[in-house]
Amino acid sequence: MTDFAALRRAMVEDQLVARGVTDARVLAAMAEVPREAFVPEALRARAYEDGPLPIGDGQTISQPLIVALMAEAARILPGDRILDVGTGSGYAAAVLARLGRFVWSIERIETLAERARATLAGLGIGNVEVICGDGSLGWAPQAPYDVIHVAASGPAVPATLERQLALGGRLVMPIGPRADGQRLVRVRRTAEGAWEQDDLGGVAFVPLIGAGGW
């Protein structure tokens, strides 16, 4: 029988700590969330590989390092309200839920949304709501958010998402072409009508599909 707990500990040390992830709360969340529960059963033995894995419908579960780096870049506080765009398997939402107060997670593909809801419920994670819709437009009913996490690459940061940030709020997402040249950026809302953007390095994500994406 696969010892997932041991694989999880090794992932944290070998893939995260060894590559510079230092936020203790992020490392603890990554050590606690069972990644194997969020991948197809046939791939569970590979759940802690150092890379993305397919989850169906042309989508992937992100590499563990990317999930950790995005969570660390967002500087999440325990009381933060979080918008997660691109639920996919629900894995990142589960990690974010351990870091903040509540996560609203949007997925455009209904089958993935339903599967993520079931997985999160089965794990007893009650501070995530999965919504089926166009995540590129955010989720206005619960705005503003302290953190917006976007797990798909758009041509630019959608203005709609920027406007749904609270003052001092942080948005982390990849932007750039569908193939090569994507960059991970962090946007911080500094005042009404004012945002600052940092470039966090090169990445590769599935495209953000929707009115504010491709």
Side-chain angles (χ1 to χ4, degrees):
M1 183 177 293
T2 304
D3 186 348
F4 288 115
L7 292 175
R8 199 175 308 124
R9 289 192 297 270
M11 175 268 290
V12 170
E13 291 300 322
D14 300 340
Q15 299 178 34
L16 310 184
V17 175
R19 287 178 171 146
V21 178
T22 60
D23 188 309
R25 296 182 66 241
V26 171
L27 293 172
M30 296 291 291
E32 293 163 358
V33 175
R35 184 176 168 87
E36 68 274 11
F38 294 90
V39 301
E41 189 169 355
L43 298 178
R44 285 188 177 174
R46 300 174 55 195
Y48 295 97
E49 287 185 2
D50 185 18
L53 290 171
I55 56 171
D57 294 286
Q59 306 300 302
T60 60
I61 182 173
S62 294
Q63 176 187 16
L65 177 63
I66 290 296
V67 175
L69 288 174
M70 290 182 71
E72 184 173 59
R75 300 171 181 168
I76 302 168
L77 300 173
D80 281 351
R81 305 169 75 257
I82 303 168
L83 176 66
D84 174 42
V85 176
T87 310
S89 68
Y91 176 64
V95 172
L96 297 172
R98 289 191 175 268
L99 299 170
R101 179 158 63 94
F102 199 92
V103 179
W104 289 269
S105 188
I106 306 183
E107 172 55 54
R108 67 184 180 87
I109 301 172
E110 180 63 42
T111 53
L112 291 181
E114 291 177 355
R115 199 176 307 147
R117 286 190 198 106
T119 302
L120 292 163
L123 293 172
I125 300 173
N127 61 332
V128 178
E129 178 183 352
V130 178
I131 301 144
C132 188
D134 183 354
S136 73
L137 298 176
W139 183 242
Q142 295 294 339
Y145 302 96
D146 302 297
V147 170
I148 299 179
H149 169 276
V150 185
S153 180
V157 177
T160 303
L161 294 183
E162 289 185 327
R163 290 193 295 267
Q164 290 183 18
L165 276 177
L167 290 179
R170 292 81 62 203
L171 177 151
V172 180
M173 74 170 287
I175 60 172
R178 294 192 185 209
D180 298 329
Q182 295 177 11
R183 307 296 295 180
L184 186 66
V185 300
R186 176 176 56 217
V187 174
R188 187 167 68 91
R189 188 167 195 172
T190 57
E192 289 293 342
W195 297 265
E196 291 180 351
Q197 182 170 304
D198 300 318
D199 187 322
L200 304 179
V203 289
F205 277 80
V206 295
L208 177 65
I209 305 298
W214 296 103

